[in-house]
């Protein structure tokens, strides 16, 4: 269960969140819990999560180790402050910051090289779904991005299916729609990396996951977890999602 805080919260607000959140998930050993705050809050989050099983991630990662890349943060920088994960290829990065399947692949490899677990996002836009193009988009994002990994690299990633029309809109994909998309992705994984890899890979669903819809989504065997935006900002609501 991963929380994507996007561009919300200060370090002080991060610490306050963990004070409330930690006791609520103390006994939650059924899943891994990851929180991805803005870069400026990662150190505070790592300090506040110390001694718990909660893991911390970045929301993006540079493809280079270091260099003249103004505004970027490298994998080594993330691990140095105690992060273990990095979201890669979020639709907001694709939409507003020019992220492409090619750069998503480069960033994914950089995360793996740094020893971080990449949470690689894919998903179709509304017009693509409405024109019947969902499957083609997912296949294309997979083929141009994730399929460029080696089998060994692939075994270490987490995939997040996030239909763009469901992000921050309150419109969740029905459990069936989400499961269908997960199936398409898993079939791609099977064709490229084999059955074992397809069975083992964790595919998270993201897009308006809330305490009151998480249970029906998680009831789908295809859905292995969720990537939660808005509802992860409140300790009580994210804890309810974790403890669905
Ligand atoms: P949302 O965002 O839960 O606010 O819809 C999900 C995401 O973008 O990861």
């Amino acid at each position: 269960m991963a929380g994507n805080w996007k561009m919300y919260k200060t370090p002080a607000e991060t610490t306050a969140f963990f004070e409330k959140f930690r006791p609520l998930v103390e006994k939650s050993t059924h899943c891994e819990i990851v929180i991805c705050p803005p870069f400026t809050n990662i150190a505070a989050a790592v300090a506040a999560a110390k001694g718990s099983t909660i893991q911390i991630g970045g929301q993006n990662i540079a493809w280079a180790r270091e260099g003249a890349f103004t505004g970027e943060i490298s994998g080594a920088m993330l691990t140095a402050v105690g992060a273990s994960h990095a979201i890669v290829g979020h639709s907001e990065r694709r939409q507003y910051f020019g992220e492409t399947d090619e750069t998503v692949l480069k960033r994914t490899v950089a995360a793996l090289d740094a020893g971080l677990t990449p949470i690689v996002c894919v998903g179709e836009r509304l017009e693509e779904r409405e024109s019947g193009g969902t499957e083609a988009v997912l296949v294309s994002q997979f083929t141009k991005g994730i399929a460029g990994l080696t089998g060994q690299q692939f075994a270490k990633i987490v995939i997040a299916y996030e239909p763009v029309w469901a992000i921050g809109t309150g419109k969740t994909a029905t459990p069936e729609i989400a499961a269908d998309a997960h199936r398409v992705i898993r079939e791609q994984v099977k064709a490229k990396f084999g059955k074992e890899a397809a069975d083992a890979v964790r595919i998270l669903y993201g897009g308006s996951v809330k305490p009151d819809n998480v249970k029906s989504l998680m009831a789908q065997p295809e859905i292995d977890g969720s990537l939660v935006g808005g509802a992860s900002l409140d300790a009580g609501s994210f804890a309810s999602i974790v403890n669905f």
Side-chain angles (χ1 to χ4, degrees), residues 38-88:
F39 290 126
T40 46
N41 302 357
I42 289 180
V46 168
K50 203 168 174 207
S52 76
T53 56
I54 304 164
Q55 303 171 83
I56 307 301
Q59 296 173 14
N60 189 15
I61 174 173
W63 57 70
R65 281 167 196 271
E66 60 181 6
F69 296 100
T70 302
E72 291 283 294
I73 302 284
S74 76
M77 292 168 185
L78 285 170
T79 56
V81 288
S84 56
H85 289 67
I87 296 173
V88 178

Side-chain angles (χ1 to χ4, degrees), residues 64-145:
R65 281 167 196 271
E66 60 181 6
F69 296 100
T70 302
E72 291 283 294
I73 302 284
S74 76
M77 292 168 185
L78 285 170
T79 56
V81 288
S84 56
H85 289 67
I87 296 173
V88 178
H90 190 277
S91 64
E92 286 149 18
R93 302 281 333 157
R94 293 176 187 257
Q95 187 178 349
Y96 305 123
F97 302 101
E99 207 73 66
T100 64
D101 294 322
E102 289 73 19
T103 57
V104 168
L105 176 61
K106 283 165 76 175
R107 293 184 197 274
T108 303
V109 170
L112 292 165
D113 286 348
L116 294 161
T117 301
I119 301 172
V120 185
C121 304
V122 295
E124 80 287 359
R125 296 196 303 264
L126 181 62
E127 60 273 24
E128 293 166 335
R129 170 156 292 269
E130 285 178 342
S131 64
T134 298
E135 184 162 342
V137 169
L138 294 176
V139 169
S140 163
Q141 289 176 341
F142 181 88
T143 309
K144 293 193 204 141

Side-chain angles (χ1 to χ4, degrees), residues 1-230:
M1 293 299 205
N4 169 17
W5 281 4
K6 310 195 179 189
M7 200 171 73
Y8 291 99
K9 292 194 196 291
T10 62
E13 287 165 345
T14 300
T15 307
F17 172 93
F18 276 86
E19 272 165 25
K20 277 200 201 153
F21 183 65
R22 271 185 72 152
L24 300 174
V25 297
E26 216 164 33
K27 298 197 179 79
S28 313
T29 51
H30 60 284
C31 66
E32 283 184 63
I33 305 170
V34 184
I35 292 182
C36 302
F39 290 126
T40 46
N41 302 357
I42 289 180
V46 168
K50 203 168 174 207
S52 76
T53 56
I54 304 164
Q55 303 171 83
I56 307 301
Q59 296 173 14
N60 189 15
I61 174 173
W63 57 70
R65 281 167 196 271
E66 60 181 6
F69 296 100
T70 302
E72 291 283 294
I73 302 284
S74 76
M77 292 168 185
L78 285 170
T79 56
V81 288
S84 56
H85 289 67
I87 296 173
V88 178
H90 190 277
S91 64
E92 286 149 18
R93 302 281 333 157
R94 293 176 187 257
Q95 187 178 349
Y96 305 123
F97 302 101
E99 207 73 66
T100 64
D101 294 322
E102 289 73 19
T103 57
V104 168
L105 176 61
K106 283 165 76 175
R107 293 184 197 274
T108 303
V109 170
L112 292 165
D113 286 348
L116 294 161
T117 301
I119 301 172
V120 185
C121 304
V122 295
E124 80 287 359
R125 296 196 303 264
L126 181 62
E127 60 273 24
E128 293 166 335
R129 170 156 292 269
E130 285 178 342
S131 64
T134 298
E135 184 162 342
V137 169
L138 294 176
V139 169
S140 163
Q141 289 176 341
F142 181 88
T143 309
K144 293 193 204 141
I146 297 168
L149 299 172
T150 66
Q152 255 183 345
Q153 288 172 324
F154 179 80
K156 296 189 185 131
I157 76 165
V158 173
I159 298 174
Y161 167 62
E162 297 206 310
V164 180
W165 47 272
I167 296 178
T169 57
K171 278 192 218 163
T172 329
T174 63
E176 292 72 26
I177 287 179
D180 278 347
H182 283 219
R183 216 167 285 122
V184 168
I185 297 165
R186 220 178 278 280
E187 274 162 20
Q188 292 300 305
V189 175
K190 190 174 167 192
K192 173 70 193 174
F193 298 107
K195 184 176 184 309
E196 215 174 294
D199 289 342
V201 67
R202 282 173 294 176
I203 308 180
L204 315 182
Y205 167 78
S208 296
V209 175
K210 307 283 178 225
D212 62 0
N213 61 24
V214 62
K215 206 166 174 172
S216 58
L217 288 161
M218 296 305 298
Q220 295 286 331
E222 275 292 342
I223 302 179
D224 304 310
S226 51
L227 178 54
V228 186

